[in-house]
Amino acid sequence: MSIVDIAREKALEQGIGLNEEELLQVLQIPDEQLEEIADIAHQTRLKWCGPDVSVEGIISIKTGGCPEDCHFCSQSGLFESPVRAARLNIPELVEAAKKTAKTGATEFCIVAAVKAPDENLLSQVAEAIPAILDEVDIEISLSLGTLTREQAQRLKDMGAQRYNHNLETSKSFFPNVVTTHTWEERKETLENVRAVGMEICSGGIIGMGESLEDRAEFAYQLAQIEPCEVPMNFLDPRPGTPFANYPLVPLGEALRAVAAFRLAMPSVTLRFAGGRELSLGDDGTEKGLLGGINAIIAGNYLTTLGKQIEKDVDMLGRIDLPIKAL
Ligand code: SF4
């Protein structure tokens, strides 16, 4: 059976994710079949997730100065990247959540560039969550680095619904990207998140020098942890990082990756995260949303919220996909 027929029968008809070998075939599909496989990925998303597009806003409460060495990240304190530490207070956070909700977003993710949350950060979050939920009708996600089971329980008890911790790339390729911690440590945090009943959000970055085999392995490994949401980033080579001179992911490769991730996880919320404007542009974003993606980020409140989301909302209207409501 051809990969197109396998994708149709397994992912579209039965909602079963493809295996690693099949995902590799999707990633290698010739140009003439790209449109067809992207359409199957889109039909799979429509059948198993519905037509809604989820919009999420992100706010950073601690930017820069991270002790880890993730080679793609401008927030590592170990590289010469021009991002420096900044902190936000609670009223600023509530204001950001309000503005985010006004864009149509149903999810607000609070992010901190840390290896793990310290007591200071945890108490700030403990204060922020009820303050936000008191004034804004929105789901709160957190991304605060690695967690012990006990920390995960505390965050759940504070009212966090979902926790983001990206596996970043395949287990095999991970040592080429990060040397200060392991892939297994990342996975352990996700196990702690699941154990306390928070939803898992975990994805990664395409375009860090990994092979198509690595991408297939990564999509399959993500599917095994059964996340609720998967953010897909495309490398935005930041000045000062070790990956500063890497090329952008070509559009065709990006669309194959989107299709593969959708066909690996038919019912997951697959979110376009960082780098899509650079690698895919408006045309590519539209193709991605008609090729397996069903969620977007409204932008980082601190930098780009507003302009991009207006463009996105226009585009969703044009391609007739409704924004998800709570
Ligand atoms: S742990 Fe997160 S913030 Fe720190 S360097 Fe890695 S990706 Fe960047």
Side-chain angles (χ1 to χ4, degrees):
M1 223 194 305
S2 78
I3 187 59
V4 168
D5 292 335
I6 293 172
R8 199 177 283 118
E9 194 172 306
K10 265 178 96 172
L12 175 56
E13 297 304 331
Q14 302 179 59
I16 298 172
L18 303 190
N19 64 32
E20 196 173 326
E21 201 181 303
E22 292 159 348
L23 293 170
L24 180 59
Q25 289 183 55
V26 172
L27 292 164
Q28 292 170 328
I29 209 153
D31 286 345
E32 315 80 76
Q33 287 181 301
L34 176 55
E35 215 173 296
E36 198 177 357
I37 202 82
D39 187 56
I40 293 172
H42 183 53
Q43 297 306 327
T44 301
R45 162 268 169 106
L46 289 176
K47 176 163 178 185
W48 297 98
C49 312
D52 293 359
V53 176
S54 143
V55 178
E56 174 192 55
I58 290 193
I59 185 98
S60 167
I61 53 170
K62 196 250 161 194
T63 309
C66 180
E68 299 304 293
D69 78 342
C70 311
H71 292 12
F72 55 84
C73 183
S74 59
Q75 303 210 53
S76 168
L78 303 175
F79 316 136
E80 293 299 315
S81 330
V83 173
R84 283 296 157 248
R87 279 182 191 265
L88 282 184
N89 61 33
I90 305 293
E92 284 172 322
L93 272 174
V94 174
E95 197 47 38
K98 278 188 193 160
K99 287 196 173 157
T100 299
K102 275 201 191 123
T103 66
T106 49
E107 199 174 320
F108 185 62
C109 187
I110 301 173
V111 178
V114 289
K115 178 176 175 62
D118 59 14
E119 273 311 312
N120 245 344
L121 188 62
L122 285 173
S123 54
Q124 196 190 0
V125 171
E127 210 185 320
I129 293 178
I132 292 168
L133 291 177
D134 218 32
E135 296 202 38
V136 193
D137 192 15
I138 205 155
E139 291 175 351
I140 296 185
S141 311
L142 300 172
S143 184
L144 312 174
T146 52
L147 294 183
T148 62
R149 179 82 55 100
E150 188 250 335
Q151 287 170 324
Q153 187 65 56
R154 280 172 70 187
L155 295 172
K156 165 124 193 343
D157 294 343
M158 288 175 200
Q161 178 145 353
R162 193 171 286 185
Y163 196 82
N164 164 262
H165 197 58
N166 289 341
L167 287 176
E168 310 298 12
T169 190
S170 69
K171 186 174 170 184
S172 315
F173 193 70
F174 192 84
N176 297 291
V177 178
V178 184
T179 67
T180 47
H181 60 265
T182 62
W183 192 89
E184 285 79 1
E185 279 177 79
R186 296 206 147 245
K187 190 157 172 267
E188 204 179 298
T189 288
L190 297 176
E191 281 156 9
N192 290 334
V193 167
R194 182 190 307 290
V196 303
M198 271 192 294
E199 294 169 353
I200 292 181
C201 167
S202 186
I205 304 173
I206 304 294
M208 300 192 290
E210 75 284 359
S211 64
L212 296 184
E213 284 78 5
D214 289 317
R215 275 179 210 167
E217 179 192 328
F218 180 38
Y220 186 67
Q221 284 165 341
L222 275 175
Q224 300 312 296
I225 59 160
E226 298 181 6
C228 173
E229 175 171 335
V230 171
M232 272 189 102
N233 297 271
F234 296 90
L235 183 74
D236 172 0
R238 304 309 301 163
T241 64
F243 292 169
N245 297 320
Y246 279 29
L248 296 179
V249 178
L251 179 59
E253 252 187 61
L255 295 174
R256 284 171 175 84
V258 167
F261 274 54
R262 169 56 65 202
L263 296 168
M265 296 167 278
S267 56
V268 86
T269 298
L270 189 58
R271 193 179 298 279
F272 262 151
R276 73 161 149 117
E277 294 88 352
L278 258 182
S279 279
L280 288 87
D282 292 343
D283 179 45
T285 298
E286 196 172 311
K287 287 189 169 129
L289 279 155
L290 295 171
I293 291 285
N294 68 330
I296 53 174
I297 287 185
N300 182 335
Y301 169 75
L302 288 174
T303 54
T304 58
L305 187 65
K307 252 194 280 160
Q308 184 62 43
I309 187 66
E310 276 169 31
K311 255 169 66 182
D312 289 341
V313 169
D314 281 354
M315 178 188 56
L316 292 176
R318 215 173 40 245
I319 57 180
D320 212 15
L321 293 174
I323 293 183
K324 179 186 158 192
L326 270 185

